[in-house]
Amino acid sequence: MIQWLKREALVLVRLLTHPLLWILLSLTLAGAIVAYQIHYSFNLDVGTPIDQAFVRNFHDTRVEDGTGRTFRWSDAYGYIDLSGTGGGVPFDVTLTINTGRPEVPVSVIVNGETLLQSTFSEGWRTLTLPVDASHTQALASRDLVVEIRTPGYPAPDDRTQIQGVMLDSVQAVSSGSGFATPSITQLLYMGLGVLLVYLLLGRMLYPIAAYERPSFGWGVKARGLYVAFAGALVAAAALVMLLAWYHSGNLAAAVALDDLLAWYRVPSTSAVGQVALPVAGTFALSYILLVLVEPLARRVSKAPGAQRGARVLASMIAAAFLVRFGAANLPQINIIDLPWHMKWLRELLIGNWQALYFPGQLSQVPREWGLAVLIPKSPLFYFVTAPLAILPWSLETSVKAFTCLLDVSLMGFCYWLLARYAPALGGWRAGLWAAFAYACNPLSYRALAYGILPTILAQWLTVASFTVLLALGSRMLIAQPDTQERPRVRGLLFGLFILLAASLVAFPTIAVFNTFVLGLLALFWLWRKRPQPKRLGWTVVGVTAAAWALAMVSYYGQYVVILINTTLPALLNPQAAAAEGVDTTAQAASTVHWSGPLDLVGWTAGYMTSLIPLLTGLAGLALLWWAGSKGPRMALFSALMGAWMLILPVFMIANYKVDMIGKHIFYTVFPLSLGAGIFLWGLARRGGAVRWFAYLSAGALAWTALAFWVQRLVQASF
């Protein structure tokens, strides 16, 4: 451990002391200073979605009758904050205001210096305030803050609301020459951003040979450092160009670029203060994740080249976490169901665990079902995440980070399973492709954007339990009667029991899925005439029964009577349930009325966003099933994946009665990723045009996932 920490510290020191870093930072700061010298023109249309980052102490957006003009009422004190404009160059500030009342005193203060004190009558008017050398204080400030101060008047439609003036637009235009003094804070933030990109890329691309024995010498041919330098230089150039665009254009142009970055409402130069801490924290967590995953991945396989595979896997997991958590943690990005989950988590933290555990509001079915009945909804997610409250930052941030970490950790399961149980189909190399397919599956991003966080935890528990089942099964199928591995088998049995019981409690419909898959596997092995499969089949039956017994005692038992007497009759026959006194507001327990099978299939394809994971996944799973006869481990692996994928048609059929398809299509992401890894590796190893087809398919999948993630975050930010 000490040697590992020392090695990582030396790598970090070498990255920080490399001359390329200081050249990079110098170029970044020089470019930013040059960008500040460009004459700027800021045009802010108040009342549109982009103004929220710039106005403070203003009321909600309003639209003027007849003209459609958008505006906001200020309070007695209203502020327009345009940070990072630079100081020392004369400029003009133009305001379009309407007092809305006769004889209203108005004061306009720019950067702490009063430039206007006058009385205005009702009506729209444009005020232009020049800031030249005679206004020393206003000119020297490197940020532009415009304050509008008026007497406060109670609003006619809401006496509790104090109104000042109506503000329609703000314009700031540089009107003279001279050296623009940059904002030191902006320069520091830009330097920090470039440094973070350089460090993460540098650690990802650090030569493996040099990593084994890092030194402070410069003789090692570290091409990865130059690639990291180039990547960070591209990031620096992008930031400088965005800064120049921000200073030479208008806010609408800057926002158009922000659409691509998923920040949307906040041009990056003004939002940098808000996003600096979340982004820096995300990069730091990604770096730590990269450092921790690589040594773990090295233990998976000792095959030639596996060290490089471990580095690639660790880099992909760090990048996937960066994309997921980095975007989800930005200001004004809303995870749709997160407030609901935080509500129940805080109920638990104040000690009201009964509200989560016993049948009540948490267990009500979705409102769109049109039924006022109860169905078990597990509180396990809230009990698992409750200890995160001790961390010094916001609980929402911790929950999002924990969920993203659970999600990306399944990439490691993809790598491990194929390396251990499918060496003939690519092994660790196919595992890398599978990890990539999981990282880029749009359904994973849909789950995060929707905020189905308990389902993500349940999926992780299921994958972990089935991984232990594979290890247990391979030992029981291969072991001879006189082996001395029984204590290890007992440990695996206990681990399977605990993980399976937790996954059953974690989410009710996933509990049905787990039982369905395990039942199929048990029947398959009991049908075999050899003693080892029969023994494994009875073992699965026993562990599943014991896990269900624990789940019933710990949680589900209190819902048996409710399900039998109320919930199931209401789901099967809402009209009869209404006659029995159950409150129903719809004629059927369904949110979607399908016109036929093709309608459901088309909707399912649209929900998946991209058919690449489905097609490549099924093709790869077909190869796995074909190769299942080549050994007991492969047979066990292929049987599990075959039973797992039956969830797709089964729940599509069930969806005709109750709309539940969404979460369960998401549940196929893991096996489809394994299949996609096998298929894409099979293409890539052939070379030529076939290899390029694999690369193009992977690129198309990555682009689809990124575009979907940006779109969902933009929509959720409203």
Side-chain angles (χ1 to χ4, degrees):
M1 173 65 74
I2 295 177
Q3 291 297 324
W4 172 71
L5 291 174
K6 180 180 178 181
R7 183 167 60 240
E8 288 296 338
L10 289 174
V11 170
L12 183 59
V13 169
R14 188 176 182 204
L15 289 173
L16 289 172
T17 56
H18 200 284
L20 286 177
L21 173 60
W22 302 103
I23 295 174
L24 176 65
L25 292 176
S26 299
L27 291 175
T28 302
L29 296 179
I33 292 172
V34 171
Y36 264 93
Q37 309 312 311
I38 300 174
H39 283 215
Y40 61 84
S41 176
F42 298 94
N43 298 284
L44 177 61
D45 185 3
V46 178
T48 57
I50 68 171
D51 73 345
Q52 296 186 20
F54 307 99
V55 295
R56 291 184 287 117
N57 216 29
F58 277 78
H59 300 298
D60 293 338
T61 298
R62 297 201 182 193
V63 180
E64 188 177 49
D65 295 335
T67 64
R69 182 197 298 261
T70 60
F71 65 93
R72 289 180 185 268
W73 276 102
S74 71
D75 208 304
Y77 298 85
Y79 302 90
I80 303 98
D81 189 353
L82 302 176
S83 59
T85 56
V89 176
F91 61 93
D92 295 334
V93 176
T94 302
L95 308 173
T96 302
I97 66 171
N98 184 351
T99 60
R101 305 175 181 86
E103 303 299 321
V104 176
V106 177
S107 299
V108 179
I109 303 169
V110 178
N111 296 338
E113 186 173 348
T114 302
L115 299 187
L116 174 69
Q117 284 183 318
S118 186
T119 300
F120 298 103
S121 59
E122 185 176 0
W124 289 103
R125 69 190 72 251
T126 299
L127 307 176
T128 300
L129 308 174
V131 180
D132 51 26
S134 62
H135 302 287
T136 307
Q137 179 179 347
L139 192 63
S141 177
R142 298 169 183 177
D143 299 317
L144 176 57
V145 178
V146 180
E147 177 186 353
I148 303 176
R149 186 180 300 177
T150 62
Y153 300 93
D157 54 351
D158 184 0
R159 307 299 293 180
T160 63
Q161 184 182 104
I162 302 300
Q163 293 180 344
V165 300
M166 293 180 277
L167 180 64
D168 173 55
S169 66
V170 180
Q171 184 181 42
V173 181
S174 56
S175 58
S177 60
F179 178 79
T181 307
S183 170
I184 301 300
T185 303
Q186 298 289 336
L187 295 182
L188 290 176
Y189 283 147
M190 291 187 67
L192 176 62
V194 172
L195 174 63
L196 293 173
V197 173
Y198 167 82
L199 288 178
L200 188 60
L201 287 177
R203 180 57 181 80
M204 288 180 177
L205 301 170
Y206 199 90
I208 293 178
Y211 171 76
E212 295 296 336
R213 289 187 177 182
S215 65
F216 292 99
W218 309 114
V220 179
K221 293 183 178 180
R223 289 178 295 178
L225 290 180
Y226 294 96
V227 176
F229 170 78
L233 187 61
V234 170
L239 289 174
V240 171
M241 290 177 63
L242 183 58
L243 183 64
W245 192 349
Y246 180 74
H247 277 269
S248 63
N250 53 47
L251 295 179
V255 170
L257 181 59
D258 287 337
D259 283 346
L260 300 177
L261 300 175
W263 295 344
Y264 192 67
R265 300 179 182 179
V266 186
S268 58
T269 51
S270 288
V272 68
Q274 301 179 38
V275 304
L277 185 59
V279 169
T282 303
F283 267 90
L285 288 175
S286 300
Y287 189 96
I288 294 172
L289 197 58
L290 169 64
V291 168
L292 294 177
V293 169
E294 183 175 355
L296 295 176
R298 285 171 179 252
R299 300 182 180 182
V300 172
S301 176
K302 301 299 182 182
Q307 285 188 337
R308 179 169 56 86
R311 171 67 60 81
V312 174
L313 175 67
S315 300
M316 287 197 301
I317 290 178
F321 180 82
L322 181 68
V323 172
R324 283 165 166 79
F325 180 63
N329 200 34
L330 288 175
Q332 300 194 20
I333 296 299
N334 298 320
I335 304 301
I336 295 176
D337 283 349
L338 182 62
W340 164 263
H341 297 308
M342 297 309 301
K343 166 193 171 183
W344 291 109
L345 182 53
R346 290 191 171 92
E347 285 287 332
L348 178 61
L349 291 174
I350 64 175
N352 189 18
W353 62 271
Q354 299 93 334
L356 285 79
Y357 182 80
F358 295 112
Q361 185 181 357
L362 177 64
S363 297
Q364 291 180 354
V365 299
R367 185 177 302 174
E368 61 268 20
W369 283 20
L371 297 171
V373 294
L374 300 179
I375 193 169
K377 290 185 182 178
S378 171
L380 182 63
F381 175 80
Y382 311 108
F383 283 93
V384 169
T385 55
L388 297 175
I390 66 175
L391 298 176
W393 42 79
S394 71
L395 184 57
E396 289 86 350
T397 299
S398 299
V399 169
K400 287 187 284 188
F402 172 74
T403 307
C404 291
L405 184 61
L406 284 180
D407 194 32
V408 300
S409 68
L410 294 184
M411 298 168 62
F413 281 91
C414 291
Y415 181 83
W416 188 86
L417 288 173
L418 291 184
R420 288 292 180 90
Y421 295 97
L425 296 176
W428 65 267
R429 293 178 175 86
L432 289 179
W433 284 91
F436 177 84
Y438 186 89
C440 297
N441 195 308
L443 279 178
S444 295
Y445 295 96
R446 187 184 290 274
L448 284 174
Y450 284 179
I452 55 173
L453 309 185
T455 308
I456 294 174
L457 171 64
Q459 178 185 237
W460 189 93
L461 290 169
T462 296
V463 172
S465 62
F466 284 131
T467 301
V468 175
L469 174 62
L470 273 174
L472 173 66
S474 64
R475 292 186 187 279
M476 295 182 66
L477 289 174
I478 297 174
Q480 299 299 321
D482 58 347
T483 58
Q484 299 180 3
E485 294 185 347
R486 292 193 176 186
R488 300 180 67 180
V489 170
R490 291 194 189 100
L492 288 172
L493 275 172
F494 180 74
L496 175 61
F497 167 68
I498 295 298
L499 287 170
L500 181 58
S503 65
L504 294 178
V505 175
F507 209 84
T509 47
I510 291 174
V512 175
F513 161 73
N514 290 346
T515 307
F516 173 76
V517 172
L518 291 172
L520 288 175
L521 289 173
L523 289 175
F524 172 75
W525 288 321
L526 290 173
W527 178 71
R528 306 290 294 272
K529 296 182 179 180
R530 291 183 297 169
Q532 288 95 338
K534 283 184 175 294
R535 181 186 173 197
L536 181 57
W538 285 116
T539 300
V540 170
V541 171
V543 173
T544 305
W548 260 113
L550 179 59
M552 293 295 294
V553 171
S554 63
Y555 185 65
Y556 288 125
Q558 59 187 328
Y559 282 93
V560 173
V561 175
I562 296 174
L563 288 173
I564 294 175
N565 294 336
T566 306
T567 303
L568 290 179
L571 290 175
L572 297 175
N573 194 337
Q575 294 88 347
E580 293 291 332
V582 176
D583 181 20
T584 61
T585 57
Q587 293 300 312
S590 176
T591 61
V592 181
H593 300 282
W594 310 111
S595 59
L598 292 180
D599 186 16
L600 176 58
V601 171
W603 183 89
T604 303
Y607 189 89
M608 296 184 73
T609 304
S610 172
L611 292 179
I612 295 177
L614 178 63
L615 299 178
T616 57
L618 291 178
L621 290 176
L623 293 174
L624 176 63
W625 297 325
W626 173 78
S629 60
K630 295 184 177 180
R633 283 190 174 187
M634 192 79 78
L636 178 65
F637 190 26
S638 61
L640 175 59
M641 292 299 101
W644 193 315
M645 282 306 298
L646 286 177
I647 193 67
L648 186 59
V650 167
F651 274 96
M652 285 185 66
I653 294 172
N655 196 60
Y656 270 101
K657 185 63 179 176
V658 179
D659 181 20
M660 61 175 65
I661 191 67
K663 290 185 176 66
H664 297 91
I665 295 181
F666 161 72
Y667 220 58
T668 64
V669 171
F670 185 77
L672 286 177
S673 298
L674 292 173
I678 295 172
F679 180 74
L680 291 174
W681 162 245
L683 295 180
R685 67 192 296 266
R686 294 181 179 274
V690 179
R691 172 179 293 179
W692 281 107
F693 177 75
Y695 291 153
L696 289 174
S697 299
L701 179 60
W703 173 254
T704 301
L706 182 61
F708 173 81
W709 187 221
V710 170
Q711 178 190 17
R712 289 303 313 171
L713 292 177
V714 168
Q715 292 178 358
S717 65
F718 283 96

